[in-house]
Amino acid sequence: MSATTSHEVRFNLPNIEVAAKVWGPADGVPVIALHGWLDNAATFDLIAARMPGLQIVALDLPGHGLSDHLPAAGYSLWQQAATVLQVADSLGWQRFALLGHSMGAIISGILAGSLPDRIMGVGMIDGLLPVTAEADDAPAQMAKYFAASLQAANKRKPIYDSVEKAIKARLMGANTPISREAVGILVERGLMPDHGGWTWRTDPQLFLPSPLRFTNQHAIAFIEAIRAPACVVLANQGVMAKYPAVVERVWQFEHIRVHAMDGGHHLHLEAQAPEVATLLHSFFSDLS
């Protein structure tokens, strides 16, 4: 299958400018792609190029990649979801599909559950349910957020004297196995020059703990409300695999197709990319 090239676009939204990479023809199946936490639009480089007939608009979500940063406390899942809707409206897409990895998959589930009339279908890679907490945990969770916010003012971004050192730092910080090649793709879009070296474009606020989390009932309610065709690619050695109870719950959603595949959390950027692309291409093509 021949690869297609991408081009860059920017969306001037009411309160922020958002960058994106676009693949495919203007008359293709409309798909907005959402990356994971601390990643960027380049996370879809290896699979988007293998899915002809789709127009894939892969966003740098606010605070990531080449997009602007949001004001303080702006990075809730629902705020990011609202930005996705603003992009869709800018494109003139009343109905569209979603492709999400990790955090992007969680945001996709929230949108699909909230707005069934607008979402044609949703494909998710190693992500579905967010980290949850019980209502009684809310005061302690908010306290963590307040404490971290006060400390954040004194923190400075690291500066690396080479891109290779930034890649090594990202590899060391990975919580699941990922190749140097995959990290290189993400880091290229995630760095900017600073003081003769390189530092992260990422908004430091993204490292703050969430001030408020969904309860388990909240999380399940969004997924149960999805009416569009939906599928999840589960990485057998990914993030979700660390939580067997969550994986078991995912398999219990009868309206979601689940495909388990050997590979790590970023399997769509690894050797499994062709297999992931073939599976998702078939899914999205059936929506047209």
Side-chain angles (χ1 to χ4, degrees):
M1 185 178 296
S2 60
T4 58
T5 57
S6 65
H7 64 273
E8 297 280 341
V9 297
R10 296 191 71 85
F11 297 95
N12 292 302
L13 306 179
N15 298 308
I16 192 173
E17 190 171 81
V18 171
K21 299 184 72 170
V22 179
W23 287 264
D27 61 351
V29 177
V31 181
I32 295 180
L34 309 174
H35 59 78
W37 181 62
L38 302 184
D39 290 346
N40 54 62
T43 196
F44 298 107
D45 279 7
L46 299 190
I47 61 171
R50 291 180 165 92
M51 293 195 280
L54 313 181
Q55 185 176 47
I56 298 176
V57 179
L59 305 184
D60 286 334
L61 288 165
H64 299 77
L66 306 181
S67 289
D68 289 347
H69 298 177
L70 286 170
Y75 292 104
S76 65
L77 293 171
W78 46 91
Q79 180 58 57
Q80 296 281 30
T83 299
V84 175
L85 289 175
Q86 289 179 328
V87 169
D89 285 353
S90 294
L91 290 164
W93 289 358
Q94 177 58 32
R95 298 194 75 239
F96 57 96
L98 291 162
L99 167 60
H101 169 243
S102 193
M103 178 186 73
I106 294 168
I107 294 169
S108 297
I110 291 171
L111 281 168
S114 302
L115 302 171
D117 292 339
R118 295 201 64 176
I119 306 304
M120 299 168 53
V122 54
M124 295 163 280
I125 303 170
D126 210 41
L128 180 64
L129 296 167
V131 176
T132 60
E134 296 308 312
D136 290 346
D137 299 327
Q141 182 66 29
M142 189 68 75
K144 289 180 184 177
Y145 168 75
F146 289 144
S149 297
L150 293 173
Q151 294 173 2
N154 299 320
K155 293 184 178 179
R156 297 291 180 267
K157 289 184 178 182
I159 297 177
Y160 307 98
D161 58 20
S162 70
V163 172
E164 186 59 36
K165 287 187 178 179
I167 290 173
K168 289 180 179 178
R170 178 68 190 264
L171 280 168
M172 290 178 62
N175 57 4
T176 61
I178 184 171
S179 69
R180 189 256 177 234
E181 291 74 20
V183 168
I185 291 172
L186 296 170
V187 165
E188 182 178 357
R189 193 175 179 88
L191 286 177
M192 64 181 182
D194 187 14
H195 289 82
W198 300 90
T199 193
W200 306 112
R201 293 182 182 274
T202 308
D203 189 340
Q205 287 190 91
L206 290 164
F207 292 94
L208 296 177
S210 300
L212 193 65
R213 287 178 171 163
F214 289 144
T215 66
N216 189 56
Q217 285 181 293
H218 284 140
I220 290 175
F222 281 105
I223 305 307
E224 292 284 9
I226 295 174
R227 297 292 174 263
C231 74
V232 177
V233 179
L234 281 179
N236 289 336
Q237 292 78 41
V239 168
M240 294 182 71
K242 296 181 176 182
Y243 306 96
V246 174
V247 172
E248 181 180 357
R249 186 66 185 87
V250 169
W251 284 99
Q252 291 173 4
F253 290 115
E254 296 182 356
H255 62 307
I256 296 177
R257 298 178 233 172
V258 182
H259 306 270
M261 192 179 299
D262 281 338
H265 187 52
H266 287 82
L267 77 172
H268 60 297
L269 265 179
E270 303 279 10
Q272 300 87 355
E275 185 179 357
V276 174
T278 298
L279 191 159
L280 291 171
H281 183 243
S282 175
F283 171 78
F284 285 117
S285 296
D286 287 345
L287 302 178
S288 58

